[in-house]
Amino acid sequence: MTAAENIEVNDLENQVDSEQEVLDEGDVAADYLEELLDIADLDGDIDIEIRGGRTYISIVTEEEGADLSSLVGKDGEVLDALQELTRLAVLNATGERSRLVLDIAGYRSDRAEQLRAIADEAIHKARETGEDVHLQPMSAYERKLVHDVIADAGLHSESEGESGRRHIVVSMLDN
């Protein structure tokens, strides 16, 4: 075996270890969330998906009359808190920080569509006027989604403000 082949084997072993850590993270998070649903006496199915080395967990329900909106809260505030609590449960169990993303009743996927529309509108306005466009404050996760859409369109964006007032400013690239 050559040194190059040995490196490839090491890379493969590291990748397998990394994927196993993500799977373990998902299992710990799912167990935590199942207990939470039991305590709250809510019915929901937990789906785990791994994309790009990141764990995405969804809680959905197909039962008629079942409502998970209390776990989402106003503007996703309860969902954000549950996501952080789930990350802490993973940290406690594995000793590793987690970047898992929690979605409940499709809130994050619906919100992602809304954010794409907001970003597209800001892109259009910036191109039309040539002026900076200031968006409403949003969470770090939401800002990341908007930054990606704006970068894909070839415009510039940056976050400004602090804490709950942190928002994105969209501008044309300097030529």
Side-chain angles (χ1 to χ4, degrees):
M1 181 177 287
T2 67
E5 290 172 327
N6 193 21
I7 290 172
E8 290 174 7
V9 169
N10 287 338
D11 288 344
L12 182 58
E13 288 173 352
N14 290 338
Q15 183 179 2
V16 168
D17 288 344
S18 176
E19 287 177 11
Q20 185 60 47
E21 287 174 14
V22 171
L23 290 173
D24 292 344
E25 171 184 274
D27 290 339
V28 168
D31 289 345
Y32 176 78
L33 292 166
E34 282 177 14
E35 287 182 41
L36 176 83
L37 290 172
D38 286 343
I39 291 168
D41 196 28
L42 294 171
D43 291 321
D45 295 323
I46 298 175
D47 296 327
I48 303 171
E49 184 179 345
I50 310 298
R51 285 184 267 151
R54 188 175 229 182
T55 304
Y56 291 82
I57 299 180
S58 299
I59 300 176
V60 295
T61 185
E62 294 181 12
E63 288 189 29
E64 212 171 296
D67 184 15
L68 297 174
S69 63
S70 62
L71 296 178
V72 174
K74 182 180 182 288
D75 297 326
E77 290 174 344
V78 175
L79 172 57
D80 289 341
L82 288 174
Q83 178 175 279
E84 288 307 310
L85 289 172
T86 305
R87 287 176 175 178
L88 287 172
V90 170
L91 174 63
N92 188 43
T94 66
E96 299 290 325
R97 287 187 44 85
S98 172
R99 294 182 20 210
L100 71 83
V101 175
L102 175 62
D103 190 10
I104 297 176
Y107 175 82
R108 288 212 197 276
S109 56
D110 292 345
R111 181 67 176 147
E113 288 300 318
Q114 292 172 351
L115 292 169
R116 279 187 208 70
I118 290 168
D120 287 341
E121 186 177 316
I123 290 165
H124 176 74
K125 187 173 181 181
R127 285 180 174 156
E128 190 174 272
T129 66
E131 296 179 10
D132 291 353
V133 177
H134 292 258
L135 302 180
Q136 294 295 316
M138 55 187 74
S139 71
Y141 178 77
E142 291 178 339
R143 287 194 312 274
K144 165 76 169 95
L145 294 175
V146 172
H147 282 302
D148 290 347
V149 171
I150 292 167
D152 288 346
L155 273 71
H156 176 75
S157 64
E158 61 184 59
S159 294
E160 289 184 358
E162 293 184 21
S163 194
R165 296 186 317 268
R166 196 138 175 89
H167 65 280
I168 293 177
V169 179
V170 181
S171 59
M172 300 298 293
L173 287 173
D174 294 331
N175 291 330

